Amino acid sequence: MIEEYRNGDTRCKPDTIAYTSVINSWAQSGEPGAAQRATEFLRLMEEEAEHDPDLRPTKVTYGCVINTYAKAGSGDMAAAILRRMEQLYEAGDKEVCPDKIAYNMVLKGFAEQRDVNAPQRAEALYRRMEQLREQGRRSMRPDVLSVNALLKCWVTNEAVIPSKRILGLLGNMLSTSEKRQRPNDETFDLALRVLLISGDDQAVKRVEAAWKKLRGARGARG
């Protein structure tokens, strides 16, 4: 389609939807090199958009590329695309403002990435979400998906995290009534695995007790 349009066939003019559909197809394919191919199409869109505004990538377009890298366990590359979105947004392109979904996808990428630096980068991204919320973007408040991805990153890389940090995360989640911020079974399981790495038996017992209490409350309501 692109070559035909460049050769003069205006009937084959691609638009943002067409490009985004191709990028999403790569994101869903799971094929080796899918992320690289998706990025190539994104770069092509950005180049073409300099001459044709109809081809400007949207938040959804960038999100599809981020998702491709996240599925491949490439948190650093997903974060690079997120930074590109932030730069464009700060430069005045309000259509590409990265949302919590994009941030959670990057956290998911770090959760699958085996890299000694991944835990630190995931933590920085999580705190960036909290910072954005404090600055007025209330929708950026980390939710259970954010916390679970952060915890999984720590487990994947066998990071030694202070028990106080783990207990603080769980405490904040248990203190809210908002469903999307409440911990689930995966949260407790991952938290216990992180604490076992650190070897804090007392903290493990506290988390096990909180998990048992929560499950008991669920059973009483059910």
Side-chain angles (χ1 to χ4, degrees):
M1 176 185 289
I2 297 171
E3 289 301 322
E4 292 173 342
Y5 175 66
R6 286 177 172 174
N7 290 331
D9 190 343
T10 57
R11 297 172 301 173
C12 295
K13 179 184 177 181
D15 58 13
T16 297
I17 295 176
Y19 270 104
T20 302
S21 295
V22 172
I23 290 173
N24 187 53
S25 295
W26 281 110
Q28 300 301 324
S29 71
E31 294 183 13
Q36 288 75 16
R37 290 293 292 153
T39 303
E40 289 172 7
F41 275 99
L42 175 62
R43 298 303 182 221
L44 181 59
M45 284 185 74
E46 291 179 328
E47 292 173 5
E48 296 287 344
E50 294 179 6
H51 311 288
D52 186 349
D54 289 342
L55 293 177
R56 188 173 65 179
T58 65
K59 177 168 64 176
V60 174
T61 312
Y62 285 102
C64 287
V65 180
I66 289 174
N67 188 36
T68 312
Y69 280 115
K71 286 185 173 182
S74 299
D76 287 328
M77 294 302 297
I81 302 298
L82 179 64
R83 284 195 297 273
R84 174 63 175 157
M85 292 180 72
E86 290 178 330
Q87 290 168 355
L88 290 170
Y89 174 67
E90 291 169 1
D93 189 349
K94 304 305 180 184
E95 297 299 319
V96 296
C97 176
D99 55 17
K100 181 161 61 180
I101 294 174
Y103 275 80
N104 278 348
M105 283 192 292
V106 177
L107 284 172
K108 178 183 176 182
F110 281 125
E112 302 296 337
Q113 180 174 316
R114 290 189 175 277
D115 182 337
V116 66
N117 296 312
Q120 181 180 357
R121 291 168 183 162
E123 174 79 22
L125 189 67
Y126 184 92
R127 292 190 182 279
R128 171 65 175 162
M129 294 175 72
E130 294 182 317
Q131 180 184 42
L132 289 171
R133 179 191 174 234
E134 292 170 0
Q135 292 174 351
R137 289 173 58 184
R138 295 176 59 83
S139 63
M140 291 302 298
R141 180 182 183 182
D143 58 17
V144 64
L145 297 179
S146 316
V147 175
N148 287 359
L150 180 62
L151 290 170
K152 186 174 181 181
C153 178
W154 292 340
V155 170
T156 298
N157 292 282
E158 299 182 350
V160 178
I161 306 298
S163 302
K164 183 178 179 180
R165 176 64 173 141
I166 310 301
L167 296 174
L169 282 171
L170 287 175
N172 289 336
M173 297 178 79
L174 289 167
S175 67
T176 181
S177 59
E178 295 183 38
K179 186 175 181 180
R180 280 179 286 189
Q181 266 74 46
R182 297 279 293 175
N184 55 25
D185 288 341
E186 182 182 9
T187 312
F188 282 102
D189 177 65
L190 289 168
L192 286 171
R193 291 166 68 183
V194 177
L195 289 170
L196 287 171
I197 293 171
S198 67
D200 190 333
D201 293 338
Q202 291 302 314
V204 167
K205 291 178 180 179
R206 288 177 63 181
V207 172
E208 287 177 334
W211 192 3
K212 182 178 180 180
K213 182 178 179 180
L214 185 63
R215 283 185 293 185
R218 288 176 187 163
R221 288 197 302 269

